[in-house]
PDB file of all heavy atoms in Angstrom:
ATOM      1  N   VAL A  30       0.884  -1.146  -0.005  1.00 98.00           N
ATOM      2  CA  VAL A  30       0.025  -0.006   0.029  1.00 98.00           C
ATOM      3  C   VAL A  30       0.904   1.243   0.035  1.00 98.00           C
ATOM      4  O   VAL A  30       2.057   1.158   0.510  1.00 98.00           O
ATOM      5  CB  VAL A  30      -0.955   0.064   1.207  1.00 98.00           C
ATOM      6  CG1 VAL A  30      -2.059  -1.006   1.086  1.00 98.00           C
ATOM      7  CG2 VAL A  30      -0.159  -0.124   2.530  1.00 98.00           C
ATOM      8  N   VAL A  31       0.432   2.307  -0.605  1.00 98.00           N
ATOM      9  CA  VAL A  31       1.158   3.574  -0.698  1.00 98.00           C
ATOM     10  C   VAL A  31       0.342   4.674  -0.032  1.00 98.00           C
ATOM     11  O   VAL A  31      -0.845   4.860  -0.342  1.00 98.00           O
ATOM     12  CB  VAL A  31       1.498   3.889  -2.139  1.00 98.00           C
ATOM     13  CG1 VAL A  31       2.198   5.260  -2.229  1.00 98.00           C
ATOM     14  CG2 VAL A  31       2.384   2.824  -2.762  1.00 98.00           C
ATOM     15  N   PHE A  32       1.007   5.490   0.761  1.00 98.00           N
ATOM     16  CA  PHE A  32       0.392   6.589   1.485  1.00 98.00           C
ATOM     17  C   PHE A  32       1.048   7.855   1.112  1.00 98.00           C
ATOM     18  O   PHE A  32       2.312   7.970   1.252  1.00 98.00           O
ATOM     19  CB  PHE A  32       0.343   6.420   2.998  1.00 98.00           C
ATOM     20  CG  PHE A  32      -0.568   5.376   3.527  1.00 98.00           C
ATOM     21  CD1 PHE A  32      -0.194   4.046   3.620  1.00 98.00           C
ATOM     22  CD2 PHE A  32      -1.850   5.733   3.957  1.00 98.00           C
ATOM     23  CE1 PHE A  32      -1.120   3.111   4.057  1.00 98.00           C
ATOM     24  CE2 PHE A  32      -2.717   4.799   4.448  1.00 98.00           C
ATOM     25  CZ  PHE A  32      -2.396   3.464   4.498  1.00 98.00           C
ATOM     26  N   ASP A  33       0.304   8.922   0.776  1.00 98.00           N
ATOM     27  CA  ASP A  33       0.786  10.281   0.894  1.00 98.00           C
ATOM     28  C   ASP A  33       0.984  10.633   2.324  1.00 98.00           C
ATOM     29  O   ASP A  33       0.472   9.866   3.201  1.00 98.00           O
ATOM     30  CB  ASP A  33      -0.200  11.189   0.174  1.00 98.00           C
ATOM     31  CG  ASP A  33       0.117  12.656   0.374  1.00 98.00           C
ATOM     32  OD1 ASP A  33       1.225  13.066   0.021  1.00 98.00           O
ATOM     33  OD2 ASP A  33      -0.767  13.376   0.900  1.00 98.00           O
ATOM     34  N   ILE A  34       1.646  11.732   2.627  1.00 98.00           N
ATOM     35  CA  ILE A  34       1.821  12.087   4.070  1.00 98.00           C
ATOM     36  C   ILE A  34       0.980  13.304   4.403  1.00 98.00           C
ATOM     37  O   ILE A  34       0.169  13.183   5.330  1.00 98.00           O
ATOM     38  CB  ILE A  34       3.321  12.325   4.334  1.00 98.00           C
ATOM     39  CG1 ILE A  34       4.125  11.021   4.175  1.00 98.00           C
ATOM     40  CG2 ILE A  34       3.518  12.895   5.744  1.00 98.00           C
ATOM     41  CD1 ILE A  34       5.606  11.204   4.378  1.00 98.00           C
ATOM     42  N   ASP A  35       1.227  14.446   3.751  1.00 98.00           N
ATOM     43  CA  ASP A  35       0.486  15.675   4.146  1.00 98.00           C
ATOM     44  C   ASP A  35      -0.989  15.528   3.922  1.00 98.00           C
ATOM     45  O   ASP A  35      -1.483  15.338   2.846  1.00 98.00           O
ATOM     46  CB  ASP A  35       1.079  16.913   3.372  1.00 98.00           C
ATOM     47  CG  ASP A  35       2.511  17.110   3.570  1.00 98.00           C
ATOM     48  OD1 ASP A  35       2.986  16.914   4.700  1.00 98.00           O
ATOM     49  OD2 ASP A  35       3.206  17.472   2.663  1.00 98.00           O
ATOM     50  N   ASP A  36      -1.740  15.677   5.057  1.00 98.00           N
ATOM     51  CA  ASP A  36      -3.215  15.646   5.065  1.00 98.00           C
ATOM     52  C   ASP A  36      -3.759  14.291   4.557  1.00 98.00           C
ATOM     53  O   ASP A  36      -5.002  14.222   4.201  1.00 98.00           O
ATOM     54  CB  ASP A  36      -3.763  16.816   4.239  1.00 98.00           C
ATOM     55  CG  ASP A  36      -3.419  18.126   4.981  1.00 98.00           C
ATOM     56  OD1 ASP A  36      -3.951  18.351   6.107  1.00 98.00           O
ATOM     57  OD2 ASP A  36      -2.614  18.955   4.477  1.00 98.00           O
ATOM     58  N   THR A  37      -2.893  13.280   4.565  1.00 98.00           N
ATOM     59  CA  THR A  37      -3.339  11.917   4.361  1.00 98.00           C
ATOM     60  C   THR A  37      -3.037  11.168   5.626  1.00 98.00           C
ATOM     61  O   THR A  37      -3.826  10.411   6.161  1.00 98.00           O
ATOM     62  CB  THR A  37      -2.603  11.246   3.199  1.00 98.00           C
ATOM     63  OG1 THR A  37      -2.954  11.947   2.012  1.00 98.00           O
ATOM     64  CG2 THR A  37      -3.022   9.785   3.027  1.00 98.00           C
ATOM     65  N   LEU A  38      -1.857  11.470   6.241  1.00 98.00           N
ATOM     66  CA  LEU A  38      -1.434  10.892   7.512  1.00 98.00           C
ATOM     67  C   LEU A  38      -1.304  11.906   8.557  1.00 98.00           C
ATOM     68  O   LEU A  38      -1.642  11.723   9.754  1.00 98.00           O
ATOM     69  CB  LEU A  38      -0.147  10.081   7.396  1.00 98.00           C
ATOM     70  CG  LEU A  38      -0.203   8.807   6.529  1.00 98.00           C
ATOM     71  CD1 LEU A  38       1.237   8.319   6.261  1.00 98.00           C
ATOM     72  CD2 LEU A  38      -1.003   7.767   7.266  1.00 98.00           C
ATOM     73  N   LEU A  39      -0.791  13.112   8.176  1.00 98.00           N
ATOM     74  CA  LEU A  39      -0.576  14.214   9.157  1.00 98.00           C
ATOM     75  C   LEU A  39      -1.408  15.408   8.784  1.00 98.00           C
ATOM     76  O   LEU A  39      -1.372  15.896   7.673  1.00 98.00           O
ATOM     77  CB  LEU A  39       0.949  14.625   9.166  1.00 98.00           C
ATOM     78  CG  LEU A  39       1.905  13.468   9.510  1.00 98.00           C
ATOM     79  CD1 LEU A  39       3.372  14.024   9.379  1.00 98.00           C
ATOM     80  CD2 LEU A  39       1.663  12.938  10.945  1.00 98.00           C
ATOM     81  N   LEU A  40      -2.196  15.934   9.749  1.00 98.00           N
ATOM     82  CA  LEU A  40      -3.172  16.949   9.428  1.00 98.00           C
ATOM     83  C   LEU A  40      -2.509  18.353   9.553  1.00 98.00           C
ATOM     84  O   LEU A  40      -1.880  18.655  10.620  1.00 98.00           O
ATOM     85  CB  LEU A  40      -4.319  16.883  10.367  1.00 98.00           C
ATOM     86  CG  LEU A  40      -5.478  17.879  10.181  1.00 98.00           C
ATOM     87  CD1 LEU A  40      -6.175  17.643   8.823  1.00 98.00           C
ATOM     88  CD2 LEU A  40      -6.491  17.762  11.351  1.00 98.00           C
ATOM     89  N   SER A  41      -2.688  19.184   8.530  1.00 98.00           N
ATOM     90  CA  SER A  41      -2.051  20.497   8.476  1.00 98.00           C
ATOM     91  C   SER A  41      -3.083  21.603   8.723  1.00 98.00           C
ATOM     92  O   SER A  41      -2.830  22.721   8.337  1.00 98.00           O
ATOM     93  CB  SER A  41      -1.424  20.715   7.120  1.00 98.00           C
ATOM     94  OG  SER A  41      -0.491  19.664   6.771  1.00 98.00           O
ATOM     95  N   LEU A  42      -4.185  21.312   9.393  1.00 98.00           N
ATOM     96  CA  LEU A  42      -5.256  22.263   9.582  1.00 98.00           C
ATOM     97  C   LEU A  42      -4.745  23.501  10.332  1.00 98.00           C
ATOM     98  O   LEU A  42      -5.190  24.628   9.950  1.00 98.00           O
ATOM     99  CB  LEU A  42      -6.456  21.596  10.309  1.00 98.00           C
ATOM    100  CG  LEU A  42      -7.605  22.510  10.671  1.00 98.00           C
ATOM    101  CD1 LEU A  42      -8.278  23.029   9.312  1.00 98.00           C
ATOM    102  CD2 LEU A  42      -8.665  21.752  11.484  1.00 98.00           C
ATOM    103  N   ASP A  43      -3.951  23.354  11.345  1.00 98.00           N
ATOM    104  CA  ASP A  43      -3.479  24.482  12.114  1.00 98.00           C
ATOM    105  C   ASP A  43      -2.672  25.417  11.240  1.00 98.00           C
ATOM    106  O   ASP A  43      -2.835  26.655  11.304  1.00 98.00           O
ATOM    107  CB  ASP A  43      -2.591  24.023  13.317  1.00 98.00           C
ATOM    108  CG  ASP A  43      -2.103  25.203  14.107  1.00 98.00           C
ATOM    109  OD1 ASP A  43      -3.014  25.841  14.718  1.00 98.00           O
ATOM    110  OD2 ASP A  43      -0.918  25.412  14.217  1.00 98.00           O
ATOM    111  N   TYR A  44      -1.894  24.898  10.289  1.00 98.00           N
ATOM    112  CA  TYR A  44      -1.140  25.802   9.374  1.00 98.00           C
ATOM    113  C   TYR A  44      -2.080  26.555   8.512  1.00 98.00           C
ATOM    114  O   TYR A  44      -1.964  27.775   8.242  1.00 98.00           O
ATOM    115  CB  TYR A  44      -0.115  24.982   8.565  1.00 98.00           C
ATOM    116  CG  TYR A  44       0.641  25.776   7.607  1.00 98.00           C
ATOM    117  CD1 TYR A  44       1.785  26.425   7.928  1.00 98.00           C
ATOM    118  CD2 TYR A  44       0.186  25.986   6.212  1.00 98.00           C
ATOM    119  CE1 TYR A  44       2.561  27.186   7.063  1.00 98.00           C
ATOM    120  CE2 TYR A  44       0.903  26.735   5.360  1.00 98.00           C
ATOM    121  CZ  TYR A  44       2.078  27.395   5.734  1.00 98.00           C
ATOM    122  OH  TYR A  44       2.770  28.157   4.812  1.00 98.00           O
ATOM    123  N   GLU A  45      -3.039  25.890   7.914  1.00 97.00           N
ATOM    124  CA  GLU A  45      -4.010  26.456   7.047  1.00 97.00           C
ATOM    125  C   GLU A  45      -4.693  27.569   7.718  1.00 97.00           C
ATOM    126  O   GLU A  45      -4.923  28.711   7.138  1.00 97.00           O
ATOM    127  CB  GLU A  45      -5.022  25.447   6.518  1.00 97.00           C
ATOM    128  CG  GLU A  45      -4.376  24.251   5.845  1.00 97.00           C
ATOM    129  CD  GLU A  45      -3.521  24.623   4.585  1.00 97.00           C
ATOM    130  OE1 GLU A  45      -3.809  25.656   3.988  1.00 97.00           O
ATOM    131  OE2 GLU A  45      -2.603  23.885   4.272  1.00 97.00           O
ATOM    132  N   LYS A  46      -5.237  27.362   8.879  1.00 96.00           N
ATOM    133  CA  LYS A  46      -6.002  28.362   9.636  1.00 96.00           C
ATOM    134  C   LYS A  46      -5.053  29.530  10.027  1.00 96.00           C
ATOM    135  O   LYS A  46      -5.439  30.741   9.913  1.00 96.00           O
ATOM    136  CB  LYS A  46      -6.573  27.785  10.954  1.00 96.00           C
ATOM    137  CG  LYS A  46      -7.764  26.887  10.678  1.00 96.00           C
ATOM    138  CD  LYS A  46      -9.023  27.767  10.326  1.00 96.00           C
ATOM    139  CE  LYS A  46      -9.464  28.595  11.463  1.00 96.00           C
ATOM    140  NZ  LYS A  46     -10.626  29.446  11.127  1.00 96.00           N
ATOM    141  N   ARG A  47      -3.859  29.252  10.487  1.00 95.00           N
ATOM    142  CA  ARG A  47      -2.974  30.267  11.029  1.00 95.00           C
ATOM    143  C   ARG A  47      -2.548  31.227   9.903  1.00 95.00           C
ATOM    144  O   ARG A  47      -2.362  32.424  10.156  1.00 95.00           O
ATOM    145  CB  ARG A  47      -1.777  29.604  11.662  1.00 95.00           C
ATOM    146  CG  ARG A  47      -1.010  30.476  12.649  1.00 95.00           C
ATOM    147  CD  ARG A  47      -0.113  29.632  13.508  1.00 95.00           C
ATOM    148  NE  ARG A  47      -0.862  28.726  14.305  1.00 95.00           N
ATOM    149  CZ  ARG A  47      -1.467  29.056  15.417  1.00 95.00           C
ATOM    150  NH1 ARG A  47      -1.553  30.305  15.867  1.00 95.00           N
ATOM    151  NH2 ARG A  47      -2.118  28.065  16.130  1.00 95.00           N
ATOM    152  N   TYR A  48      -2.378  30.692   8.669  1.00 95.00           N
ATOM    153  CA  TYR A  48      -1.870  31.532   7.587  1.00 95.00           C
ATOM    154  C   TYR A  48      -2.953  31.745   6.569  1.00 95.00           C
ATOM    155  O   TYR A  48      -2.730  32.125   5.412  1.00 95.00           O
ATOM    156  CB  TYR A  48      -0.640  30.825   6.960  1.00 95.00           C
ATOM    157  CG  TYR A  48       0.524  30.840   7.877  1.00 95.00           C
ATOM    158  CD1 TYR A  48       0.872  29.728   8.612  1.00 95.00           C
ATOM    159  CD2 TYR A  48       1.314  32.032   8.055  1.00 95.00           C
ATOM    160  CE1 TYR A  48       1.895  29.721   9.491  1.00 95.00           C
ATOM    161  CE2 TYR A  48       2.397  32.026   8.874  1.00 95.00           C
ATOM    162  CZ  TYR A  48       2.662  30.888   9.613  1.00 95.00           C
ATOM    163  OH  TYR A  48       3.728  30.904  10.535  1.00 95.00           O
ATOM    164  N   ASN A  49      -4.186  31.639   7.017  1.00 93.00           N
ATOM    165  CA  ASN A  49      -5.419  32.017   6.187  1.00 93.00           C
ATOM    166  C   ASN A  49      -5.411  31.382   4.833  1.00 93.00           C
ATOM    167  O   ASN A  49      -5.640  31.995   3.841  1.00 93.00           O
ATOM    168  CB  ASN A  49      -5.544  33.553   6.064  1.00 93.00           C
ATOM    169  CG  ASN A  49      -6.863  34.017   5.682  1.00 93.00           C
ATOM    170  OD1 ASN A  49      -7.846  33.330   5.992  1.00 93.00           O
ATOM    171  ND2 ASN A  49      -6.891  35.094   5.001  1.00 93.00           N
ATOM    172  N   TYR A  50      -5.017  30.046   4.806  1.00 93.00           N
ATOM    173  CA  TYR A  50      -5.119  29.243   3.606  1.00 93.00           C
ATOM    174  C   TYR A  50      -4.202  29.770   2.512  1.00 93.00           C
ATOM    175  O   TYR A  50      -4.509  29.693   1.328  1.00 93.00           O
ATOM    176  CB  TYR A  50      -6.579  29.109   3.111  1.00 93.00           C
ATOM    177  CG  TYR A  50      -7.453  28.564   4.195  1.00 93.00           C
ATOM    178  CD1 TYR A  50      -8.238  29.409   5.018  1.00 93.00           C
ATOM    179  CD2 TYR A  50      -7.525  27.228   4.423  1.00 93.00           C
ATOM    180  CE1 TYR A  50      -9.035  28.909   6.011  1.00 93.00           C
ATOM    181  CE2 TYR A  50      -8.344  26.714   5.400  1.00 93.00           C
ATOM    182  CZ  TYR A  50      -9.100  27.578   6.215  1.00 93.00           C
ATOM    183  OH  TYR A  50      -9.806  27.071   7.272  1.00 93.00           O
ATOM    184  N   THR A  51      -3.027  30.340   2.909  1.00 93.00           N
ATOM    185  CA  THR A  51      -2.051  30.711   1.964  1.00 93.00           C
ATOM    186  C   THR A  51      -0.773  29.893   2.146  1.00 93.00           C
ATOM    187  O   THR A  51      -0.686  29.236   3.184  1.00 93.00           O
ATOM    188  CB  THR A  51      -1.675  32.241   2.098  1.00 93.00           C
ATOM    189  OG1 THR A  51      -1.152  32.429   3.394  1.00 93.00           O
ATOM    190  CG2 THR A  51      -2.911  33.102   1.874  1.00 93.00           C
ATOM    191  N   TYR A  52       0.137  29.932   1.203  1.00 93.00           N
ATOM    192  CA  TYR A  52       1.297  29.102   1.284  1.00 93.00           C
ATOM    193  C   TYR A  52       2.509  29.964   1.164  1.00 93.00           C
ATOM    194  O   TYR A  52       2.659  30.866   0.332  1.00 93.00           O
ATOM    195  CB  TYR A  52       1.328  28.077   0.221  1.00 93.00           C
ATOM    196  CG  TYR A  52       2.584  27.284   0.159  1.00 93.00           C
ATOM    197  CD1 TYR A  52       2.889  26.292   1.035  1.00 93.00           C
ATOM    198  CD2 TYR A  52       3.503  27.547  -0.904  1.00 93.00           C
ATOM    199  CE1 TYR A  52       4.018  25.548   0.951  1.00 93.00           C
ATOM    200  CE2 TYR A  52       4.728  26.803  -0.992  1.00 93.00           C
ATOM    201  CZ  TYR A  52       4.966  25.822  -0.032  1.00 93.00           C
ATOM    202  OH  TYR A  52       6.156  25.108  -0.110  1.00 93.00           O
ATOM    203  N   ASN A  53       3.514  29.720   2.017  1.00 94.00           N
ATOM    204  CA  ASN A  53       4.854  30.361   1.991  1.00 94.00           C
ATOM    205  C   ASN A  53       5.825  29.277   2.315  1.00 94.00           C
ATOM    206  O   ASN A  53       5.762  28.540   3.262  1.00 94.00           O
ATOM    207  CB  ASN A  53       4.900  31.529   3.023  1.00 94.00           C
ATOM    208  CG  ASN A  53       6.304  32.101   3.122  1.00 94.00           C
ATOM    209  OD1 ASN A  53       7.138  31.565   3.802  1.00 94.00           O
ATOM    210  ND2 ASN A  53       6.501  33.208   2.423  1.00 94.00           N
ATOM    211  N   SER A  54       6.860  29.122   1.450  1.00 93.00           N
ATOM    212  CA  SER A  54       7.813  28.019   1.614  1.00 93.00           C
ATOM    213  C   SER A  54       8.542  28.034   2.975  1.00 93.00           C
ATOM    214  O   SER A  54       8.766  27.014   3.562  1.00 93.00           O
ATOM    215  CB  SER A  54       8.793  27.944   0.391  1.00 93.00           C
ATOM    216  OG  SER A  54       9.562  29.215   0.372  1.00 93.00           O
ATOM    217  N   ALA A  55       8.875  29.297   3.397  1.00 96.00           N
ATOM    218  CA  ALA A  55       9.604  29.386   4.685  1.00 96.00           C
ATOM    219  C   ALA A  55       8.756  28.969   5.847  1.00 96.00           C
ATOM    220  O   ALA A  55       9.135  28.181   6.777  1.00 96.00           O
ATOM    221  CB  ALA A  55      10.191  30.780   4.817  1.00 96.00           C
TER     222      ALA A  55
END
């Protein structure tokens, strides 16, 4: 079986909320 990691095994909801659903590499 193959699993992705981000938001398949580890939830990134706190990041999404904290940064208002925007992305910054740093």
Side-chain angles (χ1 to χ4, degrees):
V30 288
V31 175
F32 286 86
D33 171 55
I34 294 177
D35 299 323
D36 294 294
T37 298
L38 291 168
L39 302 176
L40 184 64
S41 305
L42 179 61
D43 183 64
Y44 180 86
E45 303 301 333
K46 285 286 295 179
R47 200 165 299 282
Y48 292 97
N49 198 28
Y50 304 96
T51 60
Y52 173 75
N53 174 277
S54 60

